[in-house]
Amino acid sequence: MKKNSAASTTKPLVGHLAAWNYFMSIPTPRTRSSSTSGWAYVKANNLPGADKRVTNDPMEATYIGIKMWAQAVEQAKTTNIDAVRQGHRVPAREAPSGFDIEMDAKNHHLHKPVFIGEIKGDGQFHVVWKTEGPIRAQA
């Protein structure tokens, strides 16, 4: 495993806890595949800091949102907001966390798992607690 220079910026945070719906360090084949393909893209396009890049909770949420929106647009056969929203019946989608994520039909919030992670010296998280599965959204 490559040494992450994040260690110098995360030193004061080591041992602190964070609650997110996704950590790159979650050991699932889907997490590894998503992270690896992201790094491959960064390296192939010579983007700066390729060896320091990580994926995180906001990135995972964006990934899910774009995929679900694209699926809804395909179903509605238009990008018209009202048509997409009314006809939106996107099935659960496997997320990088390894869980199937579902959108609530009434409020459009996502049902997602919750992870509590302890920050490690390399900038990653050690998951110390997680829900059994996605938690129903309560808007």
Side-chain angles (χ1 to χ4, degrees), residues 69-93:
W69 175 81
Q71 219 172 343
V73 166
E74 287 175 9
Q75 287 176 1
K77 299 187 183 345
T78 180
T79 56
N80 176 279
I81 295 169
D82 291 331
V84 170
R85 190 179 304 141
Q86 288 176 1
H88 191 254
R89 296 291 179 258
V90 176
R93 164 173 290 286

PDB file of all heavy atoms in Angstrom, residues 69-93:
ATOM      1  N   TRP A  69     -30.322   9.655 -11.276  1.00  0.00           N
ATOM      2  CA  TRP A  69     -30.924  10.670 -12.138  1.00  0.00           C
ATOM      3  C   TRP A  69     -30.913  10.198 -13.591  1.00  0.00           C
ATOM      4  O   TRP A  69     -31.922  10.309 -14.289  1.00  0.00           O
ATOM      5  CB  TRP A  69     -30.181  11.997 -11.993  1.00  0.00           C
ATOM      6  CG  TRP A  69     -30.682  13.047 -12.940  1.00  0.00           C
ATOM      7  CD1 TRP A  69     -31.790  13.834 -12.781  1.00  0.00           C
ATOM      8  CD2 TRP A  69     -30.127  13.400 -14.203  1.00  0.00           C
ATOM      9  NE1 TRP A  69     -31.944  14.665 -13.864  1.00  0.00           N
ATOM     10  CE2 TRP A  69     -30.929  14.411 -14.758  1.00  0.00           C
ATOM     11  CE3 TRP A  69     -29.018  12.964 -14.922  1.00  0.00           C
ATOM     12  CZ2 TRP A  69     -30.671  14.993 -15.986  1.00  0.00           C
ATOM     13  CZ3 TRP A  69     -28.749  13.541 -16.153  1.00  0.00           C
ATOM     14  CH2 TRP A  69     -29.572  14.549 -16.667  1.00  0.00           C
ATOM     15  N   ALA A  70     -29.792   9.666 -14.042  1.00  0.00           N
ATOM     16  CA  ALA A  70     -29.691   9.184 -15.427  1.00  0.00           C
ATOM     17  C   ALA A  70     -30.715   8.082 -15.696  1.00  0.00           C
ATOM     18  O   ALA A  70     -31.359   8.059 -16.753  1.00  0.00           O
ATOM     19  CB  ALA A  70     -28.282   8.688 -15.718  1.00  0.00           C
ATOM     20  N   GLN A  71     -30.891   7.203 -14.723  1.00  0.00           N
ATOM     21  CA  GLN A  71     -31.868   6.120 -14.865  1.00  0.00           C
ATOM     22  C   GLN A  71     -33.287   6.693 -14.952  1.00  0.00           C
ATOM     23  O   GLN A  71     -34.097   6.242 -15.759  1.00  0.00           O
ATOM     24  CB  GLN A  71     -31.757   5.181 -13.661  1.00  0.00           C
ATOM     25  CG  GLN A  71     -31.896   3.741 -13.995  1.00  0.00           C
ATOM     26  CD  GLN A  71     -31.573   2.865 -12.781  1.00  0.00           C
ATOM     27  OE1 GLN A  71     -30.960   3.275 -11.799  1.00  0.00           O
ATOM     28  NE2 GLN A  71     -32.013   1.638 -12.858  1.00  0.00           N
ATOM     29  N   ALA A  72     -33.588   7.694 -14.141  1.00  0.00           N
ATOM     30  CA  ALA A  72     -34.918   8.315 -14.151  1.00  0.00           C
ATOM     31  C   ALA A  72     -35.171   9.047 -15.461  1.00  0.00           C
ATOM     32  O   ALA A  72     -36.280   9.000 -16.005  1.00  0.00           O
ATOM     33  CB  ALA A  72     -35.052   9.275 -12.967  1.00  0.00           C
ATOM     34  N   VAL A  73     -34.151   9.713 -15.994  1.00  0.00           N
ATOM     35  CA  VAL A  73     -34.280  10.412 -17.277  1.00  0.00           C
ATOM     36  C   VAL A  73     -34.543   9.409 -18.392  1.00  0.00           C
ATOM     37  O   VAL A  73     -35.393   9.638 -19.267  1.00  0.00           O
ATOM     38  CB  VAL A  73     -33.019  11.260 -17.574  1.00  0.00           C
ATOM     39  CG1 VAL A  73     -32.969  11.710 -19.027  1.00  0.00           C
ATOM     40  CG2 VAL A  73     -32.961  12.462 -16.630  1.00  0.00           C
ATOM     41  N   GLU A  74     -33.834   8.294 -18.359  1.00  0.00           N
ATOM     42  CA  GLU A  74     -34.068   7.254 -19.372  1.00  0.00           C
ATOM     43  C   GLU A  74     -35.506   6.734 -19.308  1.00  0.00           C
ATOM     44  O   GLU A  74     -36.138   6.518 -20.337  1.00  0.00           O
ATOM     45  CB  GLU A  74     -33.080   6.104 -19.197  1.00  0.00           C
ATOM     46  CG  GLU A  74     -31.670   6.452 -19.636  1.00  0.00           C
ATOM     47  CD  GLU A  74     -30.674   5.345 -19.350  1.00  0.00           C
ATOM     48  OE1 GLU A  74     -31.073   4.218 -18.966  1.00  0.00           O
ATOM     49  OE2 GLU A  74     -29.472   5.608 -19.512  1.00  0.00           O
ATOM     50  N   GLN A  75     -36.024   6.550 -18.093  1.00  0.00           N
ATOM     51  CA  GLN A  75     -37.403   6.077 -17.945  1.00  0.00           C
ATOM     52  C   GLN A  75     -38.404   7.111 -18.439  1.00  0.00           C
ATOM     53  O   GLN A  75     -39.379   6.780 -19.108  1.00  0.00           O
ATOM     54  CB  GLN A  75     -37.698   5.753 -16.476  1.00  0.00           C
ATOM     55  CG  GLN A  75     -37.045   4.496 -15.989  1.00  0.00           C
ATOM     56  CD  GLN A  75     -37.301   4.274 -14.502  1.00  0.00           C
ATOM     57  OE1 GLN A  75     -37.984   5.052 -13.836  1.00  0.00           O
ATOM     58  NE2 GLN A  75     -36.748   3.195 -13.972  1.00  0.00           N
ATOM     59  N   ALA A  76     -38.152   8.395 -18.111  1.00  0.00           N
ATOM     60  CA  ALA A  76     -39.076   9.461 -18.496  1.00  0.00           C
ATOM     61  C   ALA A  76     -38.904   9.865 -19.964  1.00  0.00           C
ATOM     62  O   ALA A  76     -39.780  10.506 -20.532  1.00  0.00           O
ATOM     63  CB  ALA A  76     -38.860  10.681 -17.600  1.00  0.00           C
ATOM     64  N   LYS A  77     -37.776   9.499 -20.541  1.00  0.00           N
ATOM     65  CA  LYS A  77     -37.438   9.853 -21.933  1.00  0.00           C
ATOM     66  C   LYS A  77     -37.398  11.368 -22.150  1.00  0.00           C
ATOM     67  O   LYS A  77     -37.692  11.874 -23.229  1.00  0.00           O
ATOM     68  CB  LYS A  77     -38.381   9.180 -22.914  1.00  0.00           C
ATOM     69  CG  LYS A  77     -38.316   7.665 -22.845  1.00  0.00           C
ATOM     70  CD  LYS A  77     -39.132   7.021 -23.933  1.00  0.00           C
ATOM     71  CE  LYS A  77     -39.184   5.524 -23.892  1.00  0.00           C
ATOM     72  NZ  LYS A  77     -38.307   4.747 -23.120  1.00  0.00           N
ATOM     73  N   THR A  78     -37.048  12.090 -21.095  1.00  0.00           N
ATOM     74  CA  THR A  78     -36.912  13.546 -21.146  1.00  0.00           C
ATOM     75  C   THR A  78     -36.107  13.992 -19.928  1.00  0.00           C
ATOM     76  O   THR A  78     -36.009  13.255 -18.945  1.00  0.00           O
ATOM     77  CB  THR A  78     -38.285  14.249 -21.133  1.00  0.00           C
ATOM     78  OG1 THR A  78     -38.074  15.675 -21.190  1.00  0.00           O
ATOM     79  CG2 THR A  78     -39.106  13.914 -19.903  1.00  0.00           C
ATOM     80  N   THR A  79     -35.577  15.224 -20.008  1.00  0.00           N
ATOM     81  CA  THR A  79     -34.901  15.796 -18.834  1.00  0.00           C
ATOM     82  C   THR A  79     -35.817  16.792 -18.125  1.00  0.00           C
ATOM     83  O   THR A  79     -35.388  17.446 -17.181  1.00  0.00           O
ATOM     84  CB  THR A  79     -33.593  16.512 -19.247  1.00  0.00           C
ATOM     85  OG1 THR A  79     -33.894  17.506 -20.226  1.00  0.00           O
ATOM     86  CG2 THR A  79     -32.565  15.522 -19.767  1.00  0.00           C
ATOM     87  N   ASN A  80     -37.069  16.889 -18.555  1.00  0.00           N
ATOM     88  CA  ASN A  80     -38.039  17.769 -17.908  1.00  0.00           C
ATOM     89  C   ASN A  80     -38.170  17.363 -16.440  1.00  0.00           C
ATOM     90  O   ASN A  80     -38.485  16.211 -16.126  1.00  0.00           O
ATOM     91  CB  ASN A  80     -39.392  17.678 -18.617  1.00  0.00           C
ATOM     92  CG  ASN A  80     -40.433  18.517 -17.908  1.00  0.00           C
ATOM     93  OD1 ASN A  80     -41.005  18.083 -16.911  1.00  0.00           O
ATOM     94  ND2 ASN A  80     -40.671  19.703 -18.438  1.00  0.00           N
ATOM     95  N   ILE A  81     -37.932  18.317 -15.558  1.00  0.00           N
ATOM     96  CA  ILE A  81     -37.883  18.036 -14.123  1.00  0.00           C
ATOM     97  C   ILE A  81     -39.164  17.391 -13.609  1.00  0.00           C
ATOM     98  O   ILE A  81     -39.128  16.389 -12.892  1.00  0.00           O
ATOM     99  CB  ILE A  81     -37.565  19.316 -13.321  1.00  0.00           C
ATOM    100  CG1 ILE A  81     -36.154  19.796 -13.664  1.00  0.00           C
ATOM    101  CG2 ILE A  81     -37.697  19.078 -11.816  1.00  0.00           C
ATOM    102  CD1 ILE A  81     -35.825  21.174 -13.148  1.00  0.00           C
ATOM    103  N   ASP A  82     -40.316  17.956 -13.951  1.00  0.00           N
ATOM    104  CA  ASP A  82     -41.584  17.402 -13.462  1.00  0.00           C
ATOM    105  C   ASP A  82     -41.818  15.992 -13.968  1.00  0.00           C
ATOM    106  O   ASP A  82     -42.265  15.126 -13.231  1.00  0.00           O
ATOM    107  CB  ASP A  82     -42.752  18.309 -13.842  1.00  0.00           C
ATOM    108  CG  ASP A  82     -42.731  19.628 -13.075  1.00  0.00           C
ATOM    109  OD1 ASP A  82     -42.221  19.634 -11.930  1.00  0.00           O
ATOM    110  OD2 ASP A  82     -43.202  20.644 -13.622  1.00  0.00           O
ATOM    111  N   ALA A  83     -41.506  15.756 -15.243  1.00  0.00           N
ATOM    112  CA  ALA A  83     -41.701  14.421 -15.815  1.00  0.00           C
ATOM    113  C   ALA A  83     -40.775  13.405 -15.156  1.00  0.00           C
ATOM    114  O   ALA A  83     -41.173  12.282 -14.842  1.00  0.00           O
ATOM    115  CB  ALA A  83     -41.462  14.456 -17.323  1.00  0.00           C
ATOM    116  N   VAL A  84     -39.527  13.814 -14.920  1.00  0.00           N
ATOM    117  CA  VAL A  84     -38.561  12.905 -14.283  1.00  0.00           C
ATOM    118  C   VAL A  84     -38.997  12.613 -12.851  1.00  0.00           C
ATOM    119  O   VAL A  84     -38.998  11.470 -12.403  1.00  0.00           O
ATOM    120  CB  VAL A  84     -37.134  13.505 -14.308  1.00  0.00           C
ATOM    121  CG1 VAL A  84     -36.180  12.686 -13.447  1.00  0.00           C
ATOM    122  CG2 VAL A  84     -36.623  13.589 -15.740  1.00  0.00           C
ATOM    123  N   ARG A  85     -39.404  13.637 -12.123  1.00  0.00           N
ATOM    124  CA  ARG A  85     -39.806  13.474 -10.727  1.00  0.00           C
ATOM    125  C   ARG A  85     -41.064  12.615 -10.596  1.00  0.00           C
ATOM    126  O   ARG A  85     -41.138  11.732  -9.744  1.00  0.00           O
ATOM    127  CB  ARG A  85     -40.042  14.842 -10.094  1.00  0.00           C
ATOM    128  CG  ARG A  85     -40.228  14.760  -8.590  1.00  0.00           C
ATOM    129  CD  ARG A  85     -40.429  16.118  -7.951  1.00  0.00           C
ATOM    130  NE  ARG A  85     -39.334  17.016  -8.258  1.00  0.00           N
ATOM    131  CZ  ARG A  85     -39.486  18.318  -8.517  1.00  0.00           C
ATOM    132  NH1 ARG A  85     -40.676  18.867  -8.504  1.00  0.00           N
ATOM    133  NH2 ARG A  85     -38.450  19.069  -8.776  1.00  0.00           N
ATOM    134  N   GLN A  86     -42.045  12.842 -11.430  1.00  0.00           N
ATOM    135  CA  GLN A  86     -43.307  12.095 -11.339  1.00  0.00           C
ATOM    136  C   GLN A  86     -43.149  10.648 -11.767  1.00  0.00           C
ATOM    137  O   GLN A  86     -43.769   9.762 -11.202  1.00  0.00           O
ATOM    138  CB  GLN A  86     -44.382  12.780 -12.183  1.00  0.00           C
ATOM    139  CG  GLN A  86     -44.850  14.070 -11.561  1.00  0.00           C
ATOM    140  CD  GLN A  86     -45.847  14.811 -12.446  1.00  0.00           C
ATOM    141  OE1 GLN A  86     -46.198  14.357 -13.517  1.00  0.00           O
ATOM    142  NE2 GLN A  86     -46.295  15.969 -11.972  1.00  0.00           N
ATOM    143  N   GLY A  87     -42.333  10.417 -12.755  1.00  0.00           N
ATOM    144  CA  GLY A  87     -42.186   9.059 -13.255  1.00  0.00           C
ATOM    145  C   GLY A  87     -41.031   8.310 -12.628  1.00  0.00           C
ATOM    146  O   GLY A  87     -40.690   7.210 -13.039  1.00  0.00           O
ATOM    147  N   HIS A  88     -40.444   8.898 -11.609  1.00  0.00           N
ATOM    148  CA  HIS A  88     -39.236   8.330 -11.016  1.00  0.00           C
ATOM    149  C   HIS A  88     -39.523   7.065 -10.215  1.00  0.00           C
ATOM    150  O   HIS A  88     -40.079   7.121  -9.140  1.00  0.00           O
ATOM    151  CB  HIS A  88     -38.569   9.380 -10.125  1.00  0.00           C
ATOM    152  CG  HIS A  88     -37.211   8.985  -9.678  1.00  0.00           C
ATOM    153  ND1 HIS A  88     -36.954   8.586  -8.397  1.00  0.00           N
ATOM    154  CD2 HIS A  88     -36.035   8.907 -10.340  1.00  0.00           C
ATOM    155  CE1 HIS A  88     -35.667   8.291  -8.293  1.00  0.00           C
ATOM    156  NE2 HIS A  88     -35.108   8.478  -9.447  1.00  0.00           N
ATOM    157  N   ARG A  89     -39.181   5.929 -10.763  1.00  0.00           N
ATOM    158  CA  ARG A  89     -39.334   4.643 -10.088  1.00  0.00           C
ATOM    159  C   ARG A  89     -38.052   3.853 -10.289  1.00  0.00           C
ATOM    160  O   ARG A  89     -38.034   2.785 -10.873  1.00  0.00           O
ATOM    161  CB  ARG A  89     -40.520   3.859 -10.664  1.00  0.00           C
ATOM    162  CG  ARG A  89     -41.864   4.522 -10.456  1.00  0.00           C
ATOM    163  CD  ARG A  89     -42.263   4.507  -8.969  1.00  0.00           C
ATOM    164  NE  ARG A  89     -43.531   5.172  -8.783  1.00  0.00           N
ATOM    165  CZ  ARG A  89     -43.655   6.405  -8.308  1.00  0.00           C
ATOM    166  NH1 ARG A  89     -42.618   7.116  -8.000  1.00  0.00           N
ATOM    167  NH2 ARG A  89     -44.848   6.942  -8.163  1.00  0.00           N
ATOM    168  N   VAL A  90     -36.950   4.431  -9.829  1.00  0.00           N
ATOM    169  CA  VAL A  90     -35.647   3.800 -10.007  1.00  0.00           C
ATOM    170  C   VAL A  90     -35.463   2.718  -8.946  1.00  0.00           C
ATOM    171  O   VAL A  90     -35.666   2.970  -7.756  1.00  0.00           O
ATOM    172  CB  VAL A  90     -34.521   4.851  -9.905  1.00  0.00           C
ATOM    173  CG1 VAL A  90     -33.156   4.213  -9.982  1.00  0.00           C
ATOM    174  CG2 VAL A  90     -34.686   5.887 -11.001  1.00  0.00           C
ATOM    175  N   PRO A  91     -35.106   1.526  -9.350  1.00  0.00           N
ATOM    176  CA  PRO A  91     -34.875   0.463  -8.368  1.00  0.00           C
ATOM    177  C   PRO A  91     -33.625   0.743  -7.540  1.00  0.00           C
ATOM    178  O   PRO A  91     -32.824   1.609  -7.887  1.00  0.00           O
ATOM    179  CB  PRO A  91     -34.684  -0.779  -9.238  1.00  0.00           C
ATOM    180  CG  PRO A  91     -34.241  -0.266 -10.559  1.00  0.00           C
ATOM    181  CD  PRO A  91     -34.874   1.093 -10.709  1.00  0.00           C
ATOM    182  N   ALA A  92     -33.477   0.002  -6.466  1.00  0.00           N
ATOM    183  CA  ALA A  92     -32.294   0.153  -5.607  1.00  0.00           C
ATOM    184  C   ALA A  92     -31.039  -0.031  -6.454  1.00  0.00           C
ATOM    185  O   ALA A  92     -31.019  -0.795  -7.411  1.00  0.00           O
ATOM    186  CB  ALA A  92     -32.341  -0.861  -4.471  1.00  0.00           C
ATOM    187  N   ARG A  93     -30.010   0.682  -6.098  1.00  0.00           N
ATOM    188  CA  ARG A  93     -28.744   0.643  -6.834  1.00  0.00           C
ATOM    189  C   ARG A  93     -27.626   0.283  -5.870  1.00  0.00           C
ATOM    190  O   ARG A  93     -27.571   0.802  -4.769  1.00  0.00           O
ATOM    191  CB  ARG A  93     -28.497   2.014  -7.454  1.00  0.00           C
ATOM    192  CG  ARG A  93     -27.086   2.264  -7.920  1.00  0.00           C
ATOM    193  CD  ARG A  93     -26.964   3.555  -8.671  1.00  0.00           C
ATOM    194  NE  ARG A  93     -27.611   3.503  -9.970  1.00  0.00           N
ATOM    195  CZ  ARG A  93     -27.126   2.847 -11.018  1.00  0.00           C
ATOM    196  NH1 ARG A  93     -26.024   2.165 -10.927  1.00  0.00           N
ATOM    197  NH2 ARG A  93     -27.765   2.857 -12.174  1.00  0.00           N
TER     198      ARG A  93
END
